[in-house]
Amino acid sequence: MNEYDSELVRSILLKKKFRFVENESNADIIMLNTCSVRENANRKIIGLIHKIRHDLKGKPVLIGILGCMAADKKEELLTTKNLGVDFIAGPDSYKKLPNLIEEVQKTKLKTFDYALSDTETYSDIYPTREDGINAWVAISRGCNNFCTYCIVPYVRGRERSRDFNGIVKEIKKLAKEGYPQVTLLGQNVNSYKDGKKDFPDLINEISKINGIKRIHFMSPHPKDFPDKLIKVIANNPKSIKHVHLPLQAGSSRILKKMNRTYTKQGYLKLAEKIRAACPGIAITTDIIVGFPSETEKDFKDTVDVVKKTRFDAAFIFKYSPRSGTVATKKYKDDVSPDKKTERIVKLNELQKEISHENNQKLIGTTQEVLIEFIDRKKEAGNFCGRTKTNKTVSFKAKDCAPKQFVNVKIKSASAFGLKGDLVI
Ligand code: SAH
Ligand code: SF4
């Protein structure tokens, strides 16, 4: 989402007097588009700002903080001693950036805008993209779910969907520019709604566009997964055969405290249903370990869901309290750091084994691969791409190029990807 937002910002600024430079040592203004979802992300940004200021050695360069951290930390970012931030703009304030920057340049005073909007969708801005293979397209912004651990609703505001026709028009333009793939983005992408049109309708409509060959989306919430959506994923040939289905926790007790609105059984059933409708589909997930009061028994439920669902990959995080959230206000962060580490290590090991086993099953199969890039680090002629299930594949070939679709016979597999031979 931040990559997409940076493309919006680029487009907004390029329309004015600004231009972008390759190397930050040539910049008059440096902006960081930030994430606040975990404390670690915040810490990294603060470290990076200090490093940038240090490397600038007193050169009068303006530093701006964009995105969630601006909405989370607000003026604190401007008043922290020695941080040297000149302006901040929250996720709904990007159209004001040219004015904000001009103001700082003129007045030499720090400035900010982090007000959240109920309506801003940037539908009128066509992002300046760089990657020629996959185009990110946000179809909604904000979130209404208020999972108790999550800062997103507080820093990105209420959920609002972009207009259906505007999205389709943008993707038609992307197809003309030669993008073979789009990834539809939303914090809760599958709750998309514009009048009577819903998320499955949107996938179906986009699939009619010539030139668009693959449609990805992130991240769906398990609570908004009707049979209509499962059918579209399974039957629409352009839909990616991969679902990122955030679990967060396996224990129904913890899920309730997280306000996820599904149970362990509900999640398992949904995953089974998806697999039954679309054999071979990849399912990946997000998991938080060490949510307040998580016991060994609760953790065993998470392990159980991981074993039963046999995810293709899992992004596992240690719970970190976020300011303003219900969990921070109501629950004590009482799982010790050591316990969190123990649980994350255990789950990562288990997941690695499962990913490896899942990938090994693909040895001997032929996969349709969209070539993404030439791996120049290795010897010449090494290409990397993705299967329709979003798994990475590397293979050797002559006369191939990024954006091309090729068939690759899988010869070996690790937990992280596949290797194969080009089928001619
Ligand atoms: N909207 C998406 C992603 C939200 S943030 C969704 O609902 O899935 C990405 C991931 O960060 C979440 O899925 C969650 O696993 C993790 N996360 C969010 N808040 C967190 C917190 N306070 N501590 C640790 N992990 C967190
Ligand atoms: Fe956060 Fe939950 Fe919304 Fe995802 S669905 S962004 S985890 S509040």
Side-chain angles (χ1 to χ4, degrees):
M1 190 63 100
N2 269 5
E3 269 184 51
Y4 175 82
D5 278 3
S6 295
E7 292 168 350
L8 285 174
V9 167
R10 212 176 291 147
S11 172
I12 291 166
L13 292 176
L14 281 171
K15 279 201 195 103
K16 302 285 174 181
K17 59 180 179 179
F18 303 93
R19 64 189 177 86
F20 284 78
V21 289
E22 283 293 318
N23 196 319
E24 69 186 53
S25 61
N26 297 326
D28 302 311
I29 307 164
I30 296 176
M31 283 171 280
L32 304 173
N33 196 358
T34 59
C35 171
S36 266
V37 83
R38 285 170 294 276
E39 191 51 37
N40 206 15
N42 277 4
R43 240 178 267 135
K44 274 191 204 160
I45 292 294
I46 298 289
L48 190 55
I49 303 169
H50 281 302
K51 184 181 178 306
I52 292 171
R53 270 286 169 236
H54 176 264
D55 292 349
L56 284 170
K57 298 192 179 87
K59 207 171 140 199
V61 169
L62 296 181
I63 294 185
I65 300 299
L66 317 184
C68 295
M69 221 171 138
D72 176 23
K73 301 282 180 203
K74 306 187 170 73
E75 283 91 336
E76 190 188 321
L77 283 170
L78 299 173
T79 52
T80 303
K81 234 180 138 192
N82 299 330
L83 199 56
V85 173
D86 299 289
F87 62 96
I88 63 172
D92 291 336
S93 307
Y94 299 145
K95 284 183 188 162
K96 297 192 183 127
L97 263 175
N99 290 346
L100 286 174
I101 296 171
E102 209 171 295
E103 202 183 314
V104 193
Q105 285 173 328
K106 260 196 205 140
T107 63
K108 310 276 178 236
L109 295 173
K110 292 172 188 275
T111 175
F112 59 88
D113 195 308
Y114 47 75
L116 296 175
S117 155
D118 288 335
T119 51
E120 182 61 88
T121 58
Y122 296 105
S123 218
D124 52 330
I125 310 280
Y126 189 72
T128 306
R129 297 175 169 93
E130 277 184 343
D131 179 359
I133 309 238
N134 172 69
W136 307 109
V137 180
I139 63 164
S140 63
R141 296 183 73 85
C143 185
N144 288 345
N145 289 333
F146 289 94
C147 301
T148 57
Y149 51 81
C150 184
I151 200 169
V152 169
Y154 304 91
V155 291
R156 298 191 79 95
R158 292 294 65 72
E159 183 178 300
R160 59 223 107 114
S161 292
R162 268 180 71 181
D163 68 296
F164 191 90
N165 294 334
I167 298 169
V168 174
K169 203 171 138 202
E170 177 169 341
I171 297 178
K172 280 185 179 158
K173 198 168 170 198
L174 288 167
K176 278 212 183 98
E177 285 174 15
Y179 283 87
Q181 175 179 299
V182 288
T183 302
L184 310 177
L185 299 175
Q187 295 300 335
N188 190 170
V189 75
N190 49 338
S191 68
Y192 175 84
K193 197 103 185 120
D194 181 16
K196 287 208 175 99
K197 303 263 176 55
D198 61 11
F199 184 59
D201 295 334
L202 184 63
I203 296 184
N204 279 337
E205 193 62 33
I206 295 167
S207 73
K208 291 181 197 155
I209 301 172
N210 278 338
I212 297 298
K213 308 234 171 65
R214 282 187 183 174
I215 307 168
H216 283 239
F217 54 89
M218 289 199 288
S219 284
H221 193 298
K223 78 175 171 58
D224 294 308
F225 235 104
D227 290 350
K228 183 178 172 188
L229 177 55
I230 298 180
K231 270 194 196 134
V232 170
I233 296 169
N235 302 333
N236 190 313
K238 290 192 182 176
S239 170
I240 183 100
K241 305 305 172 206
H242 165 222
V243 175
H244 183 68
L245 195 64
L247 166 68
Q248 312 302 2
S251 147
S252 295
R253 186 184 77 84
I254 295 290
L255 284 168
K256 192 155 185 231
K257 275 184 101 162
M258 286 177 161
N259 191 30
R260 287 294 288 179
T261 68
Y262 52 85
T263 59
K264 176 184 178 186
Q265 286 313 321
Y267 185 95
L268 285 171
K269 247 195 202 148
L270 175 61
E272 252 174 51
K273 223 176 179 185
I274 295 171
R275 285 214 198 279
C278 189
I281 196 167
I283 303 183
T284 56
T285 201
D286 287 350
I287 295 170
I288 298 174
V289 296
F291 185 79
S293 84
E294 186 186 69
T295 60
E296 282 308 317
K297 188 166 164 283
D298 293 318
F299 178 65
K300 268 196 190 136
D301 277 323
T302 303
V303 171
D304 192 40
V305 178
V306 170
K307 282 184 178 163
K308 286 190 170 128
T309 310
R310 298 192 59 78
F311 296 111
D312 292 89
F315 302 91
I316 308 167
F317 310 105
K318 293 179 190 174
Y319 169 74
S320 81
R322 312 307 298 127
S323 59
T325 60
V326 172
T328 299
K329 285 183 194 153
K330 267 177 77 175
Y331 311 127
K332 209 171 148 226
D333 181 19
D334 56 0
V335 178
S336 72
D338 284 353
K339 216 13 130 201
K340 285 180 188 166
T341 304
E342 185 191 308
R343 288 177 186 166
I344 203 171
V345 167
K346 213 169 170 178
L347 267 190
N348 271 325
E349 275 171 8
L350 172 64
Q351 184 52 51
K352 200 172 149 197
E353 254 173 54
I354 295 172
S355 301
H356 193 196
E357 285 164 13
N358 285 358
N359 287 347
Q360 290 250 309
K361 283 193 191 132
L362 297 174
I363 294 175
T365 65
T366 298
Q367 302 283 328
E368 183 200 68
V369 172
L370 168 58
I371 303 179
E372 291 186 334
F373 61 93
I374 304 167
D375 190 351
R376 297 193 194 277
K377 277 183 289 195
K378 300 204 181 126
E379 64 262 58
N382 219 59
F383 291 86
C384 291
R386 279 177 197 267
T387 65
K388 217 164 180 179
T389 51
N390 206 27
K391 292 183 187 266
T392 55
V393 182
S394 67
F395 62 97
K396 281 201 183 62
K398 285 181 197 151
D399 305 329
C400 279
K403 265 194 211 188
Q404 216 180 326
F405 285 86
V406 290
N407 287 322
V408 176
K409 187 159 186 191
I410 306 305
K411 284 283 157 72
S412 66
S414 73
F416 308 104
L418 310 166
K419 273 190 189 160
D421 292 338
L422 186 69
V423 179
I424 305 173

